[in-house]
PDB file of all heavy atoms in Angstrom:
ATOM      1  N   ASP A 232     -12.421   5.211 -18.221  1.00  0.00           N
ATOM      2  CA  ASP A 232     -13.175   4.550 -17.163  1.00  0.00           C
ATOM      3  C   ASP A 232     -12.188   4.163 -16.055  1.00  0.00           C
ATOM      4  O   ASP A 232     -11.557   3.105 -16.121  1.00  0.00           O
ATOM      5  CB  ASP A 232     -13.889   3.325 -17.741  1.00  0.00           C
ATOM      6  CG  ASP A 232     -14.812   2.670 -16.743  1.00  0.00           C
ATOM      7  OD1 ASP A 232     -14.695   2.925 -15.525  1.00  0.00           O
ATOM      8  OD2 ASP A 232     -15.665   1.867 -17.177  1.00  0.00           O
ATOM      9  N   TRP A 233     -12.085   4.997 -15.050  1.00  0.00           N
ATOM     10  CA  TRP A 233     -11.114   4.720 -13.983  1.00  0.00           C
ATOM     11  C   TRP A 233     -11.612   3.635 -13.034  1.00  0.00           C
ATOM     12  O   TRP A 233     -10.806   2.974 -12.375  1.00  0.00           O
ATOM     13  CB  TRP A 233     -10.752   6.007 -13.235  1.00  0.00           C
ATOM     14  CG  TRP A 233      -9.805   6.838 -14.042  1.00  0.00           C
ATOM     15  CD1 TRP A 233     -10.120   7.866 -14.882  1.00  0.00           C
ATOM     16  CD2 TRP A 233      -8.377   6.676 -14.161  1.00  0.00           C
ATOM     17  NE1 TRP A 233      -8.987   8.354 -15.493  1.00  0.00           N
ATOM     18  CE2 TRP A 233      -7.909   7.647 -15.068  1.00  0.00           C
ATOM     19  CE3 TRP A 233      -7.455   5.800 -13.568  1.00  0.00           C
ATOM     20  CZ2 TRP A 233      -6.557   7.772 -15.408  1.00  0.00           C
ATOM     21  CZ3 TRP A 233      -6.110   5.929 -13.908  1.00  0.00           C
ATOM     22  CH2 TRP A 233      -5.680   6.904 -14.815  1.00  0.00           C
ATOM     23  N   ALA A 234     -12.919   3.431 -12.981  1.00  0.00           N
ATOM     24  CA  ALA A 234     -13.443   2.319 -12.169  1.00  0.00           C
ATOM     25  C   ALA A 234     -12.978   0.991 -12.774  1.00  0.00           C
ATOM     26  O   ALA A 234     -12.581   0.064 -12.062  1.00  0.00           O
ATOM     27  CB  ALA A 234     -14.964   2.377 -12.106  1.00  0.00           C
ATOM     28  N   PHE A 235     -13.002   0.911 -14.096  1.00  0.00           N
ATOM     29  CA  PHE A 235     -12.558  -0.278 -14.799  1.00  0.00           C
ATOM     30  C   PHE A 235     -11.065  -0.504 -14.561  1.00  0.00           C
ATOM     31  O   PHE A 235     -10.623  -1.626 -14.298  1.00  0.00           O
ATOM     32  CB  PHE A 235     -12.858  -0.097 -16.295  1.00  0.00           C
ATOM     33  CG  PHE A 235     -12.524  -1.270 -17.161  1.00  0.00           C
ATOM     34  CD1 PHE A 235     -12.785  -2.566 -16.758  1.00  0.00           C
ATOM     35  CD2 PHE A 235     -11.957  -1.071 -18.401  1.00  0.00           C
ATOM     36  CE1 PHE A 235     -12.490  -3.644 -17.567  1.00  0.00           C
ATOM     37  CE2 PHE A 235     -11.649  -2.152 -19.216  1.00  0.00           C
ATOM     38  CZ  PHE A 235     -11.909  -3.428 -18.804  1.00  0.00           C
ATOM     39  N   LYS A 236     -10.319   0.571 -14.622  1.00  0.00           N
ATOM     40  CA  LYS A 236      -8.872   0.454 -14.416  1.00  0.00           C
ATOM     41  C   LYS A 236      -8.598   0.008 -12.977  1.00  0.00           C
ATOM     42  O   LYS A 236      -7.702  -0.801 -12.714  1.00  0.00           O
ATOM     43  CB  LYS A 236      -8.186   1.786 -14.708  1.00  0.00           C
ATOM     44  CG  LYS A 236      -8.308   2.236 -16.180  1.00  0.00           C
ATOM     45  CD  LYS A 236      -7.560   3.528 -16.439  1.00  0.00           C
ATOM     46  CE  LYS A 236      -7.918   4.286 -17.690  1.00  0.00           C
ATOM     47  NZ  LYS A 236      -8.046   3.559 -18.918  1.00  0.00           N
ATOM     48  N   LYS A 237      -9.382   0.518 -12.055  1.00  0.00           N
ATOM     49  CA  LYS A 237      -9.220   0.137 -10.645  1.00  0.00           C
ATOM     50  C   LYS A 237      -9.504  -1.358 -10.461  1.00  0.00           C
ATOM     51  O   LYS A 237      -8.799  -2.050  -9.724  1.00  0.00           O
ATOM     52  CB  LYS A 237     -10.159   0.982  -9.773  1.00  0.00           C
ATOM     53  CG  LYS A 237     -10.289   0.548  -8.334  1.00  0.00           C
ATOM     54  CD  LYS A 237      -9.031   0.769  -7.544  1.00  0.00           C
ATOM     55  CE  LYS A 237      -9.231   0.332  -6.098  1.00  0.00           C
ATOM     56  NZ  LYS A 237      -7.962   0.262  -5.374  1.00  0.00           N
ATOM     57  N   ARG A 238     -10.546  -1.842 -11.158  1.00  0.00           N
ATOM     58  CA  ARG A 238     -10.876  -3.269 -11.042  1.00  0.00           C
ATOM     59  C   ARG A 238      -9.718  -4.121 -11.554  1.00  0.00           C
ATOM     60  O   ARG A 238      -9.374  -5.144 -10.974  1.00  0.00           O
ATOM     61  CB  ARG A 238     -12.138  -3.592 -11.850  1.00  0.00           C
ATOM     62  CG  ARG A 238     -13.419  -3.280 -11.148  1.00  0.00           C
ATOM     63  CD  ARG A 238     -14.597  -4.038 -11.755  1.00  0.00           C
ATOM     64  NE  ARG A 238     -14.823  -3.729 -13.157  1.00  0.00           N
ATOM     65  CZ  ARG A 238     -15.469  -2.636 -13.578  1.00  0.00           C
ATOM     66  NH1 ARG A 238     -15.928  -1.762 -12.721  1.00  0.00           N
ATOM     67  NH2 ARG A 238     -15.665  -2.429 -14.876  1.00  0.00           N
ATOM     68  N   ALA A 239      -9.127  -3.683 -12.667  1.00  0.00           N
ATOM     69  CA  ALA A 239      -7.984  -4.423 -13.203  1.00  0.00           C
ATOM     70  C   ALA A 239      -6.854  -4.471 -12.186  1.00  0.00           C
ATOM     71  O   ALA A 239      -6.232  -5.510 -11.964  1.00  0.00           O
ATOM     72  CB  ALA A 239      -7.497  -3.769 -14.499  1.00  0.00           C
ATOM     73  N   ALA A 240      -6.615  -3.349 -11.537  1.00  0.00           N
ATOM     74  CA  ALA A 240      -5.536  -3.301 -10.548  1.00  0.00           C
ATOM     75  C   ALA A 240      -5.861  -4.180  -9.344  1.00  0.00           C
ATOM     76  O   ALA A 240      -4.971  -4.780  -8.738  1.00  0.00           O
ATOM     77  CB  ALA A 240      -5.292  -1.860 -10.110  1.00  0.00           C
ATOM     78  N   SER A 241      -7.132  -4.253  -8.995  1.00  0.00           N
ATOM     79  CA  SER A 241      -7.528  -5.072  -7.834  1.00  0.00           C
ATOM     80  C   SER A 241      -7.409  -6.548  -8.144  1.00  0.00           C
ATOM     81  O   SER A 241      -7.077  -7.356  -7.283  1.00  0.00           O
ATOM     82  CB  SER A 241      -8.968  -4.752  -7.435  1.00  0.00           C
ATOM     83  OG  SER A 241      -9.083  -3.395  -7.070  1.00  0.00           O
ATOM     84  N   ASN A 242      -7.733  -6.918  -9.391  1.00  0.00           N
ATOM     85  CA  ASN A 242      -7.813  -8.339  -9.735  1.00  0.00           C
ATOM     86  C   ASN A 242      -6.495  -8.920 -10.238  1.00  0.00           C
ATOM     87  O   ASN A 242      -6.288 -10.129 -10.164  1.00  0.00           O
ATOM     88  CB  ASN A 242      -8.885  -8.549 -10.814  1.00  0.00           C
ATOM     89  CG  ASN A 242     -10.283  -8.279 -10.271  1.00  0.00           C
ATOM     90  OD1 ASN A 242     -10.501  -8.341  -9.069  1.00  0.00           O
ATOM     91  ND2 ASN A 242     -11.209  -7.972 -11.143  1.00  0.00           N
ATOM     92  N   TYR A 243      -5.634  -8.066 -10.792  1.00  0.00           N
ATOM     93  CA  TYR A 243      -4.430  -8.588 -11.418  1.00  0.00           C
ATOM     94  C   TYR A 243      -3.208  -7.847 -10.902  1.00  0.00           C
ATOM     95  O   TYR A 243      -3.129  -6.631 -10.976  1.00  0.00           O
ATOM     96  CB  TYR A 243      -4.528  -8.469 -12.941  1.00  0.00           C
ATOM     97  CG  TYR A 243      -5.645  -9.323 -13.486  1.00  0.00           C
ATOM     98  CD1 TYR A 243      -6.918  -8.794 -13.675  1.00  0.00           C
ATOM     99  CD2 TYR A 243      -5.449 -10.681 -13.754  1.00  0.00           C
ATOM    100  CE1 TYR A 243      -7.955  -9.581 -14.136  1.00  0.00           C
ATOM    101  CE2 TYR A 243      -6.485 -11.470 -14.213  1.00  0.00           C
ATOM    102  CZ  TYR A 243      -7.723 -10.921 -14.404  1.00  0.00           C
ATOM    103  OH  TYR A 243      -8.748 -11.703 -14.857  1.00  0.00           O
ATOM    104  N   GLY A 244      -2.258  -8.607 -10.400  1.00  0.00           N
ATOM    105  CA  GLY A 244      -1.105  -8.009  -9.720  1.00  0.00           C
ATOM    106  C   GLY A 244      -0.187  -7.211 -10.611  1.00  0.00           C
ATOM    107  O   GLY A 244       0.655  -6.468 -10.117  1.00  0.00           O
ATOM    108  N   ASN A 245      -0.318  -7.335 -11.935  1.00  0.00           N
ATOM    109  CA  ASN A 245       0.587  -6.595 -12.809  1.00  0.00           C
ATOM    110  C   ASN A 245       0.084  -5.189 -13.124  1.00  0.00           C
ATOM    111  O   ASN A 245       0.758  -4.443 -13.833  1.00  0.00           O
ATOM    112  CB  ASN A 245       0.851  -7.379 -14.102  1.00  0.00           C
ATOM    113  CG  ASN A 245      -0.417  -7.724 -14.843  1.00  0.00           C
ATOM    114  OD1 ASN A 245      -1.359  -8.245 -14.251  1.00  0.00           O
ATOM    115  ND2 ASN A 245      -0.463  -7.460 -16.135  1.00  0.00           N
ATOM    116  N   TYR A 246      -1.080  -4.807 -12.642  1.00  0.00           N
ATOM    117  CA  TYR A 246      -1.570  -3.440 -12.824  1.00  0.00           C
ATOM    118  C   TYR A 246      -1.572  -2.723 -11.473  1.00  0.00           C
ATOM    119  O   TYR A 246      -1.896  -3.309 -10.446  1.00  0.00           O
ATOM    120  CB  TYR A 246      -2.995  -3.431 -13.383  1.00  0.00           C
ATOM    121  CG  TYR A 246      -3.090  -3.902 -14.817  1.00  0.00           C
ATOM    122  CD1 TYR A 246      -3.604  -5.144 -15.135  1.00  0.00           C
ATOM    123  CD2 TYR A 246      -2.650  -3.081 -15.860  1.00  0.00           C
ATOM    124  CE1 TYR A 246      -3.682  -5.574 -16.452  1.00  0.00           C
ATOM    125  CE2 TYR A 246      -2.730  -3.504 -17.183  1.00  0.00           C
ATOM    126  CZ  TYR A 246      -3.244  -4.748 -17.469  1.00  0.00           C
ATOM    127  OH  TYR A 246      -3.317  -5.171 -18.759  1.00  0.00           O
ATOM    128  N   GLU A 247      -1.210  -1.445 -11.518  1.00  0.00           N
ATOM    129  CA  GLU A 247      -1.209  -0.607 -10.314  1.00  0.00           C
ATOM    130  C   GLU A 247      -1.809   0.747 -10.681  1.00  0.00           C
ATOM    131  O   GLU A 247      -1.531   1.271 -11.766  1.00  0.00           O
ATOM    132  CB  GLU A 247       0.222  -0.391  -9.790  1.00  0.00           C
ATOM    133  CG  GLU A 247       0.926  -1.690  -9.408  1.00  0.00           C
ATOM    134  CD  GLU A 247       2.397  -1.489  -9.049  1.00  0.00           C
ATOM    135  OE1 GLU A 247       2.850  -0.344  -8.930  1.00  0.00           O
ATOM    136  OE2 GLU A 247       3.090  -2.515  -8.894  1.00  0.00           O
ATOM    137  N   CYS A 248      -2.615   1.285  -9.764  1.00  0.00           N
ATOM    138  CA  CYS A 248      -3.234   2.594 -10.005  1.00  0.00           C
ATOM    139  C   CYS A 248      -2.927   3.527  -8.840  1.00  0.00           C
ATOM    140  O   CYS A 248      -2.978   3.111  -7.687  1.00  0.00           O
ATOM    141  CB  CYS A 248      -4.754   2.477 -10.127  1.00  0.00           C
ATOM    142  SG  CYS A 248      -5.297   1.675 -11.633  1.00  0.00           S
ATOM    143  N   TYR A 249      -2.663   4.791  -9.178  1.00  0.00           N
ATOM    144  CA  TYR A 249      -2.295   5.774  -8.156  1.00  0.00           C
ATOM    145  C   TYR A 249      -3.038   7.083  -8.388  1.00  0.00           C
ATOM    146  O   TYR A 249      -3.471   7.382  -9.505  1.00  0.00           O
ATOM    147  CB  TYR A 249      -0.784   6.036  -8.195  1.00  0.00           C
ATOM    148  CG  TYR A 249       0.023   4.799  -7.909  1.00  0.00           C
ATOM    149  CD1 TYR A 249       0.598   4.072  -8.943  1.00  0.00           C
ATOM    150  CD2 TYR A 249       0.186   4.335  -6.607  1.00  0.00           C
ATOM    151  CE1 TYR A 249       1.317   2.910  -8.688  1.00  0.00           C
ATOM    152  CE2 TYR A 249       0.900   3.169  -6.344  1.00  0.00           C
ATOM    153  CZ  TYR A 249       1.461   2.474  -7.391  1.00  0.00           C
ATOM    154  OH  TYR A 249       2.178   1.325  -7.125  1.00  0.00           O
ATOM    155  N   ALA A 250      -3.140   7.850  -7.305  1.00  0.00           N
ATOM    156  CA  ALA A 250      -3.743   9.175  -7.382  1.00  0.00           C
ATOM    157  C   ALA A 250      -2.892  10.153  -6.581  1.00  0.00           C
ATOM    158  O   ALA A 250      -2.153   9.761  -5.683  1.00  0.00           O
ATOM    159  CB  ALA A 250      -5.160   9.146  -6.804  1.00  0.00           C
ATOM    160  N   ILE A 251      -3.009  11.433  -6.932  1.00  0.00           N
ATOM    161  CA  ILE A 251      -2.395  12.503  -6.130  1.00  0.00           C
ATOM    162  C   ILE A 251      -3.532  13.345  -5.580  1.00  0.00           C
ATOM    163  O   ILE A 251      -4.432  13.767  -6.319  1.00  0.00           O
ATOM    164  CB  ILE A 251      -1.457  13.387  -6.977  1.00  0.00           C
ATOM    165  CG1 ILE A 251      -0.219  12.590  -7.397  1.00  0.00           C
ATOM    166  CG2 ILE A 251      -1.042  14.626  -6.205  1.00  0.00           C
ATOM    167  CD1 ILE A 251       0.782  13.394  -8.215  1.00  0.00           C
ATOM    168  N   GLU A 252      -3.466  13.588  -4.269  1.00  0.00           N
ATOM    169  CA  GLU A 252      -4.471  14.409  -3.588  1.00  0.00           C
ATOM    170  C   GLU A 252      -3.810  15.681  -3.071  1.00  0.00           C
ATOM    171  O   GLU A 252      -2.714  15.624  -2.509  1.00  0.00           O
ATOM    172  CB  GLU A 252      -5.018  13.663  -2.360  1.00  0.00           C
ATOM    173  CG  GLU A 252      -6.069  12.630  -2.603  1.00  0.00           C
ATOM    174  CD  GLU A 252      -6.483  11.939  -1.301  1.00  0.00           C
ATOM    175  OE1 GLU A 252      -5.983  12.331  -0.225  1.00  0.00           O
ATOM    176  OE2 GLU A 252      -7.293  11.006  -1.371  1.00  0.00           O
ATOM    177  N   ALA A 253      -4.522  16.790  -3.218  1.00  0.00           N
ATOM    178  CA  ALA A 253      -4.102  18.038  -2.572  1.00  0.00           C
ATOM    179  C   ALA A 253      -5.353  18.885  -2.419  1.00  0.00           C
ATOM    180  O   ALA A 253      -6.252  18.827  -3.269  1.00  0.00           O
ATOM    181  CB  ALA A 253      -3.058  18.768  -3.417  1.00  0.00           C
ATOM    182  N   ASP A 254      -5.382  19.689  -1.342  1.00  0.00           N
ATOM    183  CA  ASP A 254      -6.573  20.513  -1.081  1.00  0.00           C
ATOM    184  C   ASP A 254      -7.841  19.666  -1.087  1.00  0.00           C
ATOM    185  O   ASP A 254      -8.900  20.091  -1.574  1.00  0.00           O
ATOM    186  CB  ASP A 254      -6.721  21.626  -2.128  1.00  0.00           C
ATOM    187  CG  ASP A 254      -5.717  22.755  -1.914  1.00  0.00           C
ATOM    188  OD1 ASP A 254      -4.906  22.651  -0.969  1.00  0.00           O
ATOM    189  OD2 ASP A 254      -5.750  23.723  -2.696  1.00  0.00           O
ATOM    190  N   GLU A 255      -7.719  18.438  -0.605  1.00  0.00           N
ATOM    191  CA  GLU A 255      -8.870  17.526  -0.476  1.00  0.00           C
ATOM    192  C   GLU A 255      -9.526  17.210  -1.819  1.00  0.00           C
ATOM    193  O   GLU A 255     -10.720  16.904  -1.880  1.00  0.00           O
ATOM    194  CB  GLU A 255      -9.906  18.093   0.501  1.00  0.00           C
ATOM    195  CG  GLU A 255      -9.358  18.217   1.913  1.00  0.00           C
ATOM    196  CD  GLU A 255     -10.378  18.788   2.892  1.00  0.00           C
ATOM    197  OE1 GLU A 255     -11.450  19.245   2.436  1.00  0.00           O
ATOM    198  OE2 GLU A 255     -10.095  18.772   4.085  1.00  0.00           O
ATOM    199  N   ARG A 256      -8.748  17.295  -2.890  1.00  0.00           N
ATOM    200  CA  ARG A 256      -9.282  16.951  -4.200  1.00  0.00           C
ATOM    201  C   ARG A 256      -8.278  16.071  -4.932  1.00  0.00           C
ATOM    202  O   ARG A 256      -7.075  16.113  -4.654  1.00  0.00           O
ATOM    203  CB  ARG A 256      -9.513  18.204  -5.047  1.00  0.00           C
ATOM    204  CG  ARG A 256     -10.626  19.105  -4.580  1.00  0.00           C
ATOM    205  CD  ARG A 256     -10.554  20.403  -5.353  1.00  0.00           C
ATOM    206  NE  ARG A 256     -11.578  20.480  -6.379  1.00  0.00           N
ATOM    207  CZ  ARG A 256     -11.668  21.465  -7.263  1.00  0.00           C
ATOM    208  NH1 ARG A 256     -10.783  22.440  -7.279  1.00  0.00           N
ATOM    209  NH2 ARG A 256     -12.626  21.481  -8.150  1.00  0.00           N
ATOM    210  N   THR A 257      -8.784  15.321  -5.897  1.00  0.00           N
ATOM    211  CA  THR A 257      -7.910  14.470  -6.701  1.00  0.00           C
ATOM    212  C   THR A 257      -7.276  15.313  -7.794  1.00  0.00           C
ATOM    213  O   THR A 257      -7.991  15.903  -8.608  1.00  0.00           O
ATOM    214  CB  THR A 257      -8.716  13.311  -7.320  1.00  0.00           C
ATOM    215  OG1 THR A 257      -9.379  12.607  -6.273  1.00  0.00           O
ATOM    216  CG2 THR A 257      -7.803  12.359  -8.074  1.00  0.00           C
ATOM    217  N   GLN A 258      -5.975  15.370  -7.805  1.00  0.00           N
ATOM    218  CA  GLN A 258      -5.259  16.246  -8.733  1.00  0.00           C
ATOM    219  C   GLN A 258      -4.700  15.507  -9.943  1.00  0.00           C
ATOM    220  O   GLN A 258      -4.420  16.136 -10.966  1.00  0.00           O
ATOM    221  CB  GLN A 258      -4.115  16.960  -8.003  1.00  0.00           C
ATOM    222  CG  GLN A 258      -4.539  17.743  -6.776  1.00  0.00           C
ATOM    223  CD  GLN A 258      -5.469  18.902  -7.121  1.00  0.00           C
ATOM    224  OE1 GLN A 258      -5.483  19.387  -8.252  1.00  0.00           O
ATOM    225  NE2 GLN A 258      -6.248  19.343  -6.151  1.00  0.00           N
ATOM    226  N   GLY A 259      -4.506  14.209  -9.832  1.00  0.00           N
ATOM    227  CA  GLY A 259      -3.946  13.440 -10.941  1.00  0.00           C
ATOM    228  C   GLY A 259      -4.163  11.957 -10.721  1.00  0.00           C
ATOM    229  O   GLY A 259      -4.346  11.511  -9.590  1.00  0.00           O
ATOM    230  N   LEU A 260      -4.172  11.201 -11.835  1.00  0.00           N
ATOM    231  CA  LEU A 260      -4.399   9.753 -11.782  1.00  0.00           C
ATOM    232  C   LEU A 260      -3.415   9.058 -12.707  1.00  0.00           C
ATOM    233  O   LEU A 260      -3.039   9.615 -13.752  1.00  0.00           O
ATOM    234  CB  LEU A 260      -5.827   9.426 -12.237  1.00  0.00           C
ATOM    235  CG  LEU A 260      -6.965  10.027 -11.404  1.00  0.00           C
ATOM    236  CD1 LEU A 260      -8.293   9.904 -12.156  1.00  0.00           C
ATOM    237  CD2 LEU A 260      -7.070   9.332 -10.061  1.00  0.00           C
ATOM    238  N   MET A 261      -3.054   7.838 -12.341  1.00  0.00           N
ATOM    239  CA  MET A 261      -2.133   7.093 -13.195  1.00  0.00           C
ATOM    240  C   MET A 261      -2.374   5.600 -13.042  1.00  0.00           C
ATOM    241  O   MET A 261      -2.692   5.117 -11.953  1.00  0.00           O
ATOM    242  CB  MET A 261      -0.675   7.400 -12.824  1.00  0.00           C
ATOM    243  CG  MET A 261       0.350   6.663 -13.680  1.00  0.00           C
ATOM    244  SD  MET A 261       2.042   7.200 -13.417  1.00  0.00           S
ATOM    245  CE  MET A 261       2.364   6.546 -11.774  1.00  0.00           C
TER     246      MET A 261
END
Side-chain angles (χ1 to χ4, degrees):
Chain A
D232 186 343
W233 283 95
F235 183 41
K236 296 183 198 314
K237 170 69 179 168
R238 278 200 300 280
S241 299
N242 292 338
Y243 296 93
N245 56 310
Y246 290 106
E247 300 173 9
C248 289
Y249 299 100
I251 291 181
E252 279 178 3
D254 285 1
E255 296 180 351
R256 291 169 104 185
T257 305
Q258 305 296 337
L260 299 166
M261 180 171 71

